[in-house]
Amino acid sequence: MCYILAMDDFKTAYHNALCKDVPSFIEEYAALPLLQRLEGIGLLCGTDWTPIFSNKFYYSRLDHSIGTALITWNFTHDKIQTIASLLHDVSTPAFSHVSDFKNGDALTQSSTEDLNSKMIDEDAALQALLKRDGIKTEQVNNYHLYPVCDNIIPTLSADR
């Protein structure tokens, strides 16, 4: 139990370092089932589940997505770009980008993102929040539209 509390404290400290003034809408959107499913998907492509690696902590795709949104908010204070960043990995499969290697797409890692738009379009709870906030689906279903969210390395990129 202490380990879990320590990790929660670490994640909170890390997220606070990324952005000091966290807007409440990030937490509200992150609570959606569409994003909560990412809590069970590790950022480290399945290495969390094998004794071959000695990962010191578990960092989920949800943690990563929140971190990406916080970086975007910190640099832009733009709600639409921030939500696009938060949603960028909703279609991530169980072992993250391992599927990209299998699909021959390891460098751009876009093959696992193909379902993002469909999942965002079809999620009723997300669509209700977007409608309430006056945001169109096409403004948030492709984070590649926003340079701070997804730039090619070594340029600043919230995702990398």
Side-chain angles (χ1 to χ4, degrees), residues 52-123:
I52 296 171
F53 297 91
S54 300
N55 297 330
K56 303 289 184 210
F57 59 90
Y58 177 76
Y59 196 71
S60 73
R61 278 282 155 184
L62 177 61
D63 298 322
H64 165 70
S65 294
I66 292 169
T68 302
L70 292 171
I71 291 168
T72 301
W73 180 257
N74 186 59
F75 284 99
T76 68
H77 283 83
D78 183 284
K79 188 173 187 175
I80 292 171
Q81 290 185 56
T82 300
I83 293 170
S85 284
L86 184 64
L87 297 172
H88 83 280
D89 269 347
V90 296
S91 64
T92 299
F95 293 107
S96 278
H97 292 297
V98 169
S99 299
D100 294 315
F101 284 92
K102 181 185 151 288
N103 296 339
D105 186 32
L107 292 179
T108 62
Q109 300 178 339
S110 61
S111 68
T112 53
E113 294 175 355
D114 290 343
L115 287 175
N116 262 23
S117 184
K118 181 178 177 9
M119 291 177 73
I120 290 167
D121 290 344
E122 295 176 357
D123 189 273

